[in-house]
Structure formats: structure tokens, C-alpha cells
Amino acid sequence: MPKRIIEPLRAYSSKHKFKVGDALPNVNLYENSPNNPVSASELYKGKKGVLFAVVGAFTPGCTNTHIPDYLSLYDKFKEEGYMISCVAVNDPFVMAAWAKSTGAEGKIRMLADPCGEFTKTLGMDIDCTKLLGGVRSHKYSLVVEDSIIQSINVDPESTGLQCLLCIQNMRVVDKADVKR
Amino acid sequence: VGDKLPSVDLYEGTPNDKVNISSFTEKTIIFGVPGAFTPGCSKTHAPGFIANFDTLKAKGVKHIVCVSVNDPFVMAAWCENLKGEGKVRFLADIHTEFTKAIGLELDATPFLGNVRSKRYCMLVEDGTVKVLSVEPDGTGLSCSKADDFLKLI
């Protein structure tokens, strides 16, 4: 893999239990109801896109900035053939309601990690017990292709725009490889 | 029934806005739900209290409070979604403190990810529980709905 894609790796600490080249773990996320599991390892099988995580559905930052950011880039992502999904440690009913309320329904797959299993598997859990009542997820985004993590952006850097630039950079690299 | 309400902080709107449950000293209805935005709670239980607001006020009820083990942002969003502003106070029992203090926890880990509250309804007067209806299975909608509870008060 070309060195240029490895640059974003330096943005995160060693707590994180995954790296570029790893496959998404075989852990269930839930879409719309507790009876609708989706394995994270199947989610992007044969597909490419962005999976981003937020601290909490309906929290101000996530609601007023993060989701609208991704929604404003929806058409560009669609053009690139990218599927966008959002993960949070919330129950599936809350995630579904948030999808409707933010207008993300039908554009971003809103996936619940109710017990934080997916989040903990990636080592991206933070203790928000005092403010929100339990363990939540760090904010991060992953570019994924056929279940394999292509790039990682964590915390302040992980806005929708950053992620899109990353994808566009990768395409430039791909084209450069083809020319060779 | 007959117990005094414990002095526990609940949260309204944000994690910094505390409301102590024992501050409701006048005739108050407190109903507990397993989860904001869950089907039963959203389609039947909570709307029932919002719809019966005037009827309950006519019976001398001064405050109607909904408690759930959710974070305060989710509770505030739910209140807005159900148009409950000015009728029902949606208070977040972030740390399950109140729910555990009254012994009505419900382990909803397989479905919702953590311990929640059973579905119940109580009438409190002068800080003392006068009437209490707890759903036998914790989540059903048999005795704690607004129109059922109205018959008891």
C-alpha cells in the first residue's frame, strides 16, 4: 500500500485496537430495532464507504454539526459509490428516531451499538458515565472497502469534509498506480 | 405505597440541569418508562399522559413527570417529538439512581443495552406515594396507562 495513505495513522494513540488493513470485526450492530442485527463484518462486504462514530444520538455536537456535515456531502459520497454509516452506543430505537429527526434516514445507515460491543472491540470506548450514563464511543471515521479498513481519522480531525478529502486523495493515488 | 419519595437528582435537558424528584411536593404523577422512543412508550404510554393533561389537572394534579433511564439530550428530544412541552416534564435518570432507589429496575440489556426502568405510574402527594401501579411484566401496558390510572385517582 502506498505510503501516502498511511499518513492519517499518526493521528491516533495506541489505545486503539485496530489499524489500516484490518477487517471490521464480526460484531452485531442493530438497525431500527433490537431484532435487526447487522454484522459489522458483513456491512461493507463488496461495498466501499465511510463508517463514522459519534458520542451520542441527540447530543448537541453530533446533531448540529457532525450529521449535517455528512448529509451535506451525501451527493458527493453517492457519486463516489460510497455507503455512509453512523455508529453510536445508543439503543436502536433512539438511533432510528435520530435518523428521522436529522433527515439522515435513507442516506446514512444509523447503527446502534447498544452494549458498546463493537466500540469496545475497536478499543474506541470512552467512559461518559457521569454525563450520559455509560460507556460511549470516541468520534472517529473509517474509510472501508470490502470490509477492510483503508484509513482512520480520529477525534478533532474526523469531520465529514476530512473524510471526503481522504477518499479523493486515495483515488488520486489509485490513478497514479495505474499509470505506472 | 406510603413511602416517601427518595431525594434523588434527575436531569432535564442537559447533564447540568438537575431537578430533585423530592422537590415535587404538590399532587404529582410520576410515570416510568423503559425507554425514550421505544414503541410502547412512544405510541401509547407517554402520549396518553400528554393527551389527558387537562383531565388530570382537573383532578388536582399539579405536575406530570416522566422518568426514564436515558441521557437528558435524548429525553429532551423525545419530549419535543411527542409535543409534551408545558404538559409533561421529561426527566432523565442518567445513572439509574432514582429507579434503583424505588426498586423498579428492569434489566433490558439484551434489547436496549443496559438496565432501564420498569413501566409504572404513581401518584405522589406531599412527597408520599399514595397510589402505585407497576406493570406485572415490567413492560406491558395494562395498569399504568393514563386512562387506567385516572380510575384509581
Side-chain angles (χ1 to χ4, degrees):
Chain A
M1 189 175 282
K3 281 190 188 148
R4 278 152 289 183
I5 294 178
I6 303 206
E7 302 289 47
L9 278 181
R10 297 195 192 122
Y12 70 104
S13 78
S14 56
K15 172 191 157 84
H16 312 147
K17 298 176 190 169
F18 61 104
K19 56 190 187 307
V20 168
D22 283 351
L24 285 178
N26 182 19
V27 171
N28 278 341
L29 294 168
Y30 297 84
E31 195 166 22
N32 295 321
S33 110
N35 300 321
N36 195 24
V38 176
S39 172
S41 59
E42 295 296 308
L43 191 61
Y44 283 93
K45 257 228 149 67
K47 292 182 188 165
K48 51 187 178 174
V50 178
L51 182 149
F52 70 98
V54 297
V55 178
F58 295 109
T59 55
C62 305
T63 305
N64 301 330
T65 310
H66 217 115
I67 296 285
D69 236 9
Y70 275 94
L71 285 177
S72 70
L73 296 165
Y74 172 68
D75 291 327
K76 287 218 160 92
F77 278 123
K78 205 171 160 189
E79 220 174 272
E80 306 264 339
Y82 280 74
M83 178 178 86
I84 315 297
S85 40
C86 173
V87 176
V89 180
N90 278 107
D91 68 61
F93 298 116
V94 166
M95 284 304 270
W98 195 40
K100 286 199 171 84
S101 142
T102 53
E105 202 181 15
K107 295 185 175 178
I108 302 177
R109 290 188 70 175
M110 304 294 261
L111 304 169
D113 187 17
C115 302
E117 203 192 335
F118 174 79
T119 304
K120 284 176 192 169
T121 305
L122 294 183
M124 297 303 283
D125 46 299
I126 54 171
D127 187 4
C128 289
T129 307
K130 188 156 194 291
L131 295 179
L132 301 175
V135 162
R136 296 293 181 110
S137 173
H138 272 290
K139 283 166 81 162
Y140 63 90
S141 60
L142 308 174
V143 176
V144 184
E145 196 166 329
D146 199 21
S147 293
I148 305 293
I149 298 170
Q150 306 291 315
S151 113
I152 303 166
N153 280 300
V154 182
D155 264 341
E157 289 88 16
S158 66
T159 62
L161 194 55
Q162 280 285 332
C163 218
L164 184 63
L165 288 176
C166 179
I167 295 167
Q168 288 183 337
N169 283 341
M170 284 172 71
R171 284 198 112 208
V172 166
V173 168
D174 283 345
K175 282 179 189 160
D177 280 349
V178 165
K179 276 182 195 163
R180 275 187 229 122
Chain B
V1 173
D3 285 348
K4 272 220 166 280
L5 272 187
S7 172
V8 174
D9 284 331
L10 296 172
Y11 300 80
E12 192 169 28
T14 84
N16 297 322
D17 290 301
K18 291 184 194 175
V19 176
N20 195 299
I21 195 70
S22 61
S23 69
F24 293 98
T25 48
E26 299 165 300
K27 206 166 179 181
T28 302
I29 283 189
I30 303 174
F31 68 98
V33 300
F37 294 108
T38 57
C41 309
S42 290
K43 291 178 186 160
T44 311
H45 203 195
F49 284 96
I50 296 169
N52 278 296
F53 176 71
D54 293 321
T55 318
L56 288 163
K57 282 266 146 149
K59 287 218 167 194
V61 174
K62 297 280 185 230
H63 305 283
I64 308 174
V65 177
C66 174
V67 179
S68 181
V69 179
N70 278 106
D71 68 61
F73 299 114
V74 167
M75 284 304 269
W78 194 37
C79 174
E80 205 184 316
N81 178 262
L82 296 175
K83 300 187 176 35
E85 299 101 327
K87 295 186 177 169
V88 174
R89 304 277 295 272
F90 282 76
L91 304 182
D93 189 10
I94 305 178
H95 310 109
T96 331
E97 205 188 330
F98 175 70
T99 303
K100 283 182 180 166
I102 59 174
L104 292 177
E105 318 93 277
L106 174 79
D107 187 4
T109 309
F111 299 107
L112 302 175
N114 55 351
V115 170
R116 296 293 181 105
S117 169
K118 283 185 182 171
R119 194 185 304 288
Y120 64 85
C121 186
M122 63 167 86
L123 176 71
V124 180
E125 231 170 312
D126 297 318
T128 307
V129 180
K130 299 286 187 203
V131 185
L132 174 64
S133 287
V134 182
E135 292 295 340
D137 64 353
T139 55
L141 281 159
S142 63
C143 57
S144 67
K145 296 202 303 291
D147 33 26
D148 291 325
F149 202 71
L150 270 167
K151 296 172 195 159
L152 300 173
I153 61 172

